[in-house]
Amino acid sequence: MSAPEIIMLTAEDLPVFCPPAGKSLWDQHPRVFLPLDKHGECRCPYCGAHYRLHGESKGQHA
């Protein structure tokens, strides 16, 4: 089994949700909104998709 692809995101892609738009209807799970961790990453609890924020989010605090 290979590691899931990392889906790169920008601030314009927020909020993060899975499954992403354009995914085939037959393999979708319920839409779930995902919180980013302090490293700007998250994983979907249903399918294991790995999301990573590239750059900073709007309103991000240090």
Side-chain angles (χ1 to χ4, degrees):
M1 185 172 165
S2 64
E5 172 188 358
I6 296 175
I7 301 166
M8 299 302 292
L9 305 169
T10 64
E12 288 77 32
D13 298 316
L14 299 178
V16 182
F17 61 88
C18 192
K23 192 137 176 168
S24 299
L25 291 177
W26 68 268
D27 64 351
Q28 287 192 10
H29 53 69
R31 179 177 280 186
V32 59
F33 287 86
L34 306 168
L36 294 170
D37 65 15
K38 65 182 179 180
H39 304 290
E41 298 187 24
C42 58
R43 287 190 186 268
C44 176
Y46 286 99
C47 67
H50 186 176
Y51 296 89
R52 181 178 295 156
L53 182 63
H54 178 72
E56 293 187 18
S57 65
K58 297 174 184 175
Q60 183 175 6
H61 301 296

